[in-house]
Amino acid sequence: MPLFSKYTFTFLLFSIACNFSFSQNTIEVSGTLIEAETKQAVPYATVVFFDKTSKAIIKGITSDDDGSFSTTINNPNFYIEISFMGFATKSITTYSVTNNKVTLGTITLAPDNQALDEVTVRAEVSKTVFKLDKRVFNVGKDISSTGVSALEVLNNVPSVNVNIEGEISLRGSSGVQILINGKPSVLADASSNALGTITADMIESIEVITNPSAKYEASGTAGILNIILKKEDKKGWNGSISANTGIPDNHSIGLSLNRRTEKFNLFAQLGAGYRSLPRDSESMNTDLTNNEVIYSKGKDYRDETFFNLTLGADYHINELNVLTLSGNFAYEIEDQPSATTFSHFDASDNLISKWIRDEVTDATNPKWQYELNYKKQFENNEDHTLLFSALGSFFGKDQSSQFNSTTLSGTEVNDDQQTETNFQQADYTFKLDYTNPITEEYSIEAGAQYLINDVGNDYEVRDKDDNSNVYTVNEALTNNFEYDQKVLGVYFTGAFERDKWGLKAGLRVENTNLVTLLTNTNENNTQDYTNFFPSVHSSYKVGENFSLQAGYSKRIFRPRLWDLNPFFNVRNNFNVRVGNPNLQPEFTDSYELTSIYKIGKAALSSSVYYKYTTEVIERVSTSLDNVTTTTPENIGTNGTVGFETNGKYNPTKWLTLTGDFNFNYFNRVGTFETKSFDFSGSQWSSKLGSKIGLPADIDLELTGSYQSGYETVQGDVTGFAFLDLGIRKKIIKGKVMVNLGVRDLFESRIQESYVYQDTFEAYNYGKRGRFFTLGVSYGFGKGEAMTYSGGRRR
């Protein structure tokens, strides 16, 4: 166990720190805010403490997602004012102090009659809340999110883009780390498409962390997206049942249940359905040496039957200790029929051969995860906590494919093939986090994480012999790839925060041990390295409506399994993507300055940022015999300077506008195989959303997005724009909701890429098309109507 022993002293020091606590003669004040009419929680309300004598502000905080708030205060002579847009301001001047505690219990906020209608509209809209080192995008019941997966929800988050293939980028950069409830998860593994099993109704909020502190795992050069899942906390029984249908086929049913008592919180979600995801594709490979062209055009489907079950329980041992055990199981049955027509032309544009390549693919994908959490709160402050978590997850794929070719004209083509894939991925994460707010101004955080990734991909390709009609193994394309990665990290941060300004600094140390092995050919690659990742964040409140944030962090992007795995599907054997087992990690230094301000009815945020990345991973294409092979390679450095602004504007009580704009200029310097890849360019993206409140409790929502084209190391990618539309009707005071959504209304979400080289050119085109969804949901008990859609969205 050399990896553990290397950090034994760190764990000992950390254990000592966990037993340290600081107490002083302070008063702890707590309460929970709810709406007077609906009894629902009021999150992010402003709670301000004033000195009774001087009327000066002592302290200000905001309520949490569940409406609760808690803080400590040194001045016993205070009164409280609670305010939130759409509600009358509430003053609390009388209270009792018992054992240095003021327990206010449940506090009801009455609606402000002049603003009630406006609040009703706004409460449904997703909104962003700013914190010291992150932005929290609280997912509302946006109509366009009805019946869709986490990938589509992410595409509505400011700064985030999801392309037609499901690749996630943050401010135009890939290398984003996806977390679930602050931890790595098989559900966040983009390579397995598992994000599709998380649906819009399951998501509470998404934290956008463009410049993470040392507390977070250093992986992900572009930043971190942390998906926070809902966990109902209303006492008694509550839940929701929903049904969805759509064109193309998108049918599902879902059930959410929650039972809350003083000691236990039991939660469950069950879903099942069927969907078909068509995709149109085209490609053209041009050999500039002999001027021959291979053109292909086809359509493929991903037909899925899926089942999803989540069970969990919180056990409140006492007021200070909570134990949570949860598990998720999902099972998918895939059928992927496709048909692609190929045409081969000579230099004079004469047809040499034309044929159809059909694919029949069947796969089963079991996946599960289980998680144990223990949280201890200390008596002096509820934010003084010790949290231990252990997570295990598994994803498997048992897939077989049959490829048959039928010649339509010209030279006979016989390239029938069979493939078999047996993929298994097991991940284990162990975390220990300690937080101690030593005083109202000073706090520390310390922790450790150990991550294990164990993957095996057994892939076999068989070619059909033209004479004997017997399939034989193609040894050149067959192998078993094993991937074993272990990452141990420890961190410490310290923070100082006052009403006007705050400072947070930290250091994270990570050791990475990676071993890859091609068992059939005995090719192995071992990497072992230790890195330091400092971070600094600061904020300053200039005035009531204007604040500044600044930050620096160092990040790493470790090549993913599919970046390293040298064997890929042969669906189109003229356009092949393969991994590179010798790929090295990227390192990025990230600097950022952000302003947050309000102008009238508009709330805006703007950022200027700079990122410098070494060992940049780029996809490089080569061509031989009209076959284009694309492989990731480490190519030089990249410096990016950018500007981003986003905000929300409410010109009237029935209209809400949201917008996001991001522009960046980059400078690439690099060489690969004696060829220079030095160039510079720019790219930008924008989103504009509107929500319109119509009579009869009907809402209309429109969301438009644009992603500009940009230059790559060998060519360019074109831009595209698309529009989503949603209409919702509420019935029985919101207990029943009917939703109609249209994704990509004009079928304009098209991605095209070009490669221009001295000896060849390549063109690729992809389009998903228009999707219609119709959903009906009913909330019972103390729950509200929610929507459910299982499966994945790619």
Side-chain angles (χ1 to χ4, degrees):
M1 305 287 285
L3 191 60
F4 283 108
S5 60
K6 186 182 296 184
Y7 293 98
T8 300
F9 73 95
T10 308
F11 280 114
L12 290 174
L13 290 177
F14 178 69
S15 299
I16 294 172
C18 291
N19 290 311
F20 171 76
S21 62
F22 181 90
S23 63
Q24 56 180 354
N25 188 24
T26 59
I27 298 174
E28 181 180 345
V29 184
S30 63
T32 301
L33 307 179
I34 64 171
E35 300 180 28
E37 293 184 356
T38 67
K39 307 304 180 185
Q40 300 297 307
V42 181
Y44 307 111
T46 301
V47 183
V48 182
F49 295 79
F50 294 88
D51 185 281
K52 284 185 176 180
T53 303
S54 67
K55 310 300 182 183
I57 295 177
I58 303 173
K59 188 175 186 179
I61 59 173
T62 58
S63 59
D64 292 335
D65 293 346
D66 60 357
S68 66
F69 66 88
S70 178
T71 188
T72 56
I73 191 166
N74 292 326
N75 186 345
N77 186 37
F78 66 87
Y79 69 93
I80 304 172
E81 284 192 358
I82 303 171
S83 60
F84 189 70
M85 189 173 295
F87 293 88
T89 300
K90 180 127 186 172
S91 296
I92 299 175
T93 57
T94 59
Y95 48 83
S96 61
V97 181
T98 304
N99 295 328
N100 288 335
K101 289 186 178 181
V102 175
T103 304
L104 300 174
T106 301
I107 304 166
T108 57
L109 299 184
D112 184 337
N113 292 330
Q114 294 182 344
L116 178 59
D117 292 337
E118 183 176 3
V119 171
T120 302
V121 174
R122 290 181 180 179
E124 303 293 340
V125 180
S126 300
K127 60 183 179 180
T128 303
V129 177
F130 293 87
K131 298 188 177 181
L132 181 62
D133 56 355
K134 61 190 171 186
R135 287 173 287 161
V136 182
F137 182 80
N138 294 289
V139 178
K141 296 171 185 174
D142 302 81
I143 311 167
S144 63
S145 295
T146 300
V148 302
S149 73
L151 283 173
E152 300 294 353
V153 178
L154 285 171
N155 210 35
N156 289 326
V157 175
S159 309
V160 180
N161 279 296
V162 182
N163 71 11
I164 194 171
E165 295 303 322
E167 183 180 5
I168 301 167
S169 60
L170 183 58
R171 286 179 171 170
S173 300
S174 58
V176 183
Q177 184 189 18
I178 310 295
L179 302 177
I180 306 295
N181 292 333
K183 295 175 287 294
S185 169
V186 68
L187 297 177
D189 184 5
S191 64
S192 66
N193 305 324
L195 274 174
T197 62
I198 300 174
T199 55
D201 66 294
M202 298 168 64
I203 301 174
E204 179 73 33
S205 61
I206 297 173
E207 297 179 350
V208 181
I209 310 171
T210 54
N211 216 336
S213 73
K215 177 178 180 178
Y216 298 95
E217 184 182 353
S219 179
T221 53
I224 294 174
L225 297 175
N226 183 23
I227 300 174
I228 306 298
L229 301 183
K230 289 179 180 178
K231 188 157 54 178
E232 291 289 344
D233 61 358
K234 305 181 187 73
K235 289 187 178 180
W237 282 101
N238 58 88
S240 178
I241 186 169
S242 62
N244 292 283
T245 188
I247 303 174
D249 289 328
N250 183 7
H251 318 296
S252 65
I253 57 174
L255 174 67
S256 296
L257 288 172
N258 176 248
R259 169 66 172 169
R260 175 82 175 189
T261 66
E262 292 297 330
K263 284 286 187 180
F264 286 95
N265 179 39
L266 307 176
F267 49 93
Q269 290 181 321
L270 176 66
Y274 171 81
R275 70 171 68 221
S276 179
L277 300 176
R279 180 180 184 276
D280 296 317
S281 61
E282 295 181 31
S283 66
M284 186 167 64
N285 298 345
T286 304
D287 189 328
L288 299 180
T289 303
N290 55 29
N291 291 319
E292 290 187 354
V293 175
I294 296 288
Y295 173 76
S296 67
K297 183 177 183 179
K299 190 164 192 171
D300 61 81
Y301 295 82
R302 185 189 299 275
D303 300 334
E304 297 175 340
T305 301
F306 52 86
F307 308 91
N308 193 348
L309 173 65
T310 300
L311 295 172
D314 298 320
Y315 172 52
H316 294 260
I317 303 171
N318 52 43
E319 291 185 357
L320 301 176
N321 295 273
V322 180
L323 190 66
T324 301
L325 179 64
S326 62
N328 172 271
F329 174 76
Y331 191 79
E332 299 168 355
I333 303 172
E334 290 185 7
D335 176 24
Q336 299 180 29
S338 71
T340 304
T341 301
F342 292 84
S343 301
H344 186 185
F345 299 91
D346 63 16
S348 301
D349 205 25
N350 297 315
L351 183 66
I352 299 174
S353 183
K354 184 176 183 179
W355 69 98
I356 292 180
R357 182 173 171 89
D358 294 309
E359 174 189 355
V360 178
T361 292
D362 298 304
T364 56
N365 308 326
K367 60 186 77 169
W368 61 79
Q369 73 169 17
Y370 41 90
E371 184 172 1
L372 174 66
N373 284 299
Y374 168 69
K375 182 178 181 180
K376 175 178 176 56
Q377 291 179 297
F378 294 83
E379 291 186 358
N380 67 312
N381 192 316
E382 70 170 13
D383 293 326
H384 185 185
T385 60
L386 175 67
L387 177 64
F388 170 77
S389 63
L391 171 71
S393 61
F394 172 84
F395 172 75
K397 178 181 283 291
D398 187 0
Q399 177 175 296
S400 61
S401 301
Q402 174 72 53
F403 299 91
N404 295 320
S405 297
T406 303
T407 303
L408 301 178
S409 61
T411 304
E412 187 76 14
V413 174
N414 296 304
D415 60 353
D416 293 358
Q417 291 179 305
Q418 295 175 341
T419 65
E420 294 281 349
T421 301
N422 183 11
F423 176 87
Q424 294 185 336
Q425 176 177 345
D427 298 323
Y428 305 94
T429 304
F430 303 93
K431 288 191 66 179
L432 191 63
D433 296 290
Y434 174 72
T435 303
N436 187 353
I438 301 174
T439 68
E440 290 186 8
E441 296 178 343
Y442 294 94
S443 63
I444 62 171
E445 297 173 317
Q449 175 177 289
Y450 188 54
L451 176 64
I452 303 172
N453 307 116
D454 187 7
V455 183
N457 186 59
D458 195 351
Y459 183 60
E460 181 177 271
V461 179
R462 298 185 292 270
D463 298 328
K464 183 179 180 181
D465 185 274
D466 296 340
N467 298 320
S468 64
N469 290 328
V470 174
Y471 287 89
T472 58
V473 175
N474 185 328
E475 299 292 348
L477 298 178
T478 298
N479 216 316
N480 180 36
F481 181 70
E482 294 184 355
Y483 170 97
D484 183 18
Q485 178 173 267
K486 298 180 178 66
V487 181
L488 176 62
V490 293
Y491 73 89
F492 180 86
T493 71
F496 172 79
E497 191 167 6
R498 285 184 171 175
D499 293 336
K500 284 283 188 181
W501 72 282
L503 178 66
K504 183 176 183 179
L507 178 66
R508 188 180 187 93
V509 183
E510 289 189 349
N511 173 264
T512 304
N513 182 269
L514 171 65
V515 178
T516 64
L517 174 65
L518 294 168
T519 60
N520 294 14
T521 55
N522 200 32
E523 299 175 56
N524 66 79
N525 178 29
T526 300
Q527 300 181 28
D528 192 294
Y529 47 90
T530 300
N531 304 104
F532 294 86
F533 300 96
S535 68
V536 180
H537 294 84
S538 181
S539 65
Y540 181 70
K541 187 176 181 179
V542 179
E544 193 64 31
N545 296 320
F546 184 65
S547 299
L548 291 173
Q549 294 177 336
Y552 162 78
S553 67
K554 187 177 181 67
R555 309 290 297 162
I556 183 175
F557 174 70
R558 298 180 183 88
R560 300 158 297 185
L561 168 70
W562 299 111
D563 295 320
L564 301 170
N565 187 357
F567 297 97
F568 268 77
N569 198 302
V570 293
R571 169 174 292 167
N572 185 332
N573 47 17
F574 287 91
N575 288 279
V576 181
R577 289 188 176 187
V578 300
N580 178 3
N582 299 312
L583 212 56
Q584 300 296 308
E586 291 183 348
F587 291 93
T588 296
D589 290 284
S590 179
Y591 306 83
E592 182 175 333
L593 177 63
T594 299
S595 60
I596 306 165
Y597 47 97
K598 294 181 180 179
I599 303 177
K601 296 181 179 180
L604 301 169
S605 168
S606 298
S607 300
V608 178
Y609 58 91
Y610 174 73
K611 295 191 297 183
Y612 183 76
T613 304
T614 59
E615 297 292 343
V616 176
I617 298 175
E618 295 281 7
R619 298 195 178 276
V620 177
S621 297
T622 57
S623 181
L624 179 65
D625 296 330
N626 284 317
V627 176
T628 299
T629 302
T630 304
T631 309
E633 301 284 354
N634 293 107
I635 303 178
T637 64
N638 184 48
T640 300
V641 60
F643 169 77
E644 180 185 40
T645 186
N646 54 67
K648 185 172 76 170
Y649 177 53
N650 298 100
T652 68
K653 64 182 181 180
W654 52 266
L655 177 63
T656 299
L657 299 175
T658 57
D660 177 59
F661 174 80
N662 177 59
F663 173 86
N664 66 74
Y665 172 85
F666 57 88
N667 183 43
R668 289 299 325 277
V669 177
T671 303
F672 178 70
E673 293 183 348
T674 72
K675 183 169 183 177
S676 173
F677 283 111
D678 296 355
F679 71 98
S680 59
S682 63
Q683 63 181 116
W684 64 278
S685 63
S686 63
K687 295 179 187 177
L688 181 62
S690 63
K691 177 154 183 189
I692 305 170
L694 301 175
D697 225 354
I698 297 174
D699 293 327
L700 171 66
E701 183 182 277
L702 297 169
T703 302
S705 300
Y706 177 76
Q707 172 66 58
S708 76
Y710 58 92
E711 188 176 353
T712 65
V713 291
Q714 291 182 299
D716 58 66
V717 174
T718 62
F720 60 89
F722 63 95
L723 178 68
D724 296 333
L725 177 147
I727 301 174
R728 175 175 56 218
K729 165 66 177 173
K730 293 183 183 179
I731 306 173
I732 317 177
K733 296 183 179 180
K735 283 292 184 180
V736 177
M737 289 194 291
V738 181
N739 303 273
L740 172 66
V742 185
R743 310 289 297 180
D744 194 6
L745 180 64
F746 300 109
E747 295 190 278
S748 56
R749 194 176 176 182
I750 296 171
Q751 184 147 0
E752 296 177 291
S753 63
Y754 298 84
V755 173
Y756 304 107
Q757 294 297 287
D758 296 335
T759 59
F760 74 99
E761 293 180 354
Y763 165 77
N764 286 282
Y765 164 99
K767 183 180 76 171
R768 285 294 186 196
R770 185 187 300 113
F771 287 79
F772 295 90
T773 59
L774 176 65
V776 180
S777 57
Y778 168 68
F780 54 88
K782 297 181 180 180
E784 298 177 335
M786 295 161 52
T787 59
Y788 179 89
S789 170
R792 59 174 175 259
R793 186 79 161 182
R794 288 256 333 194

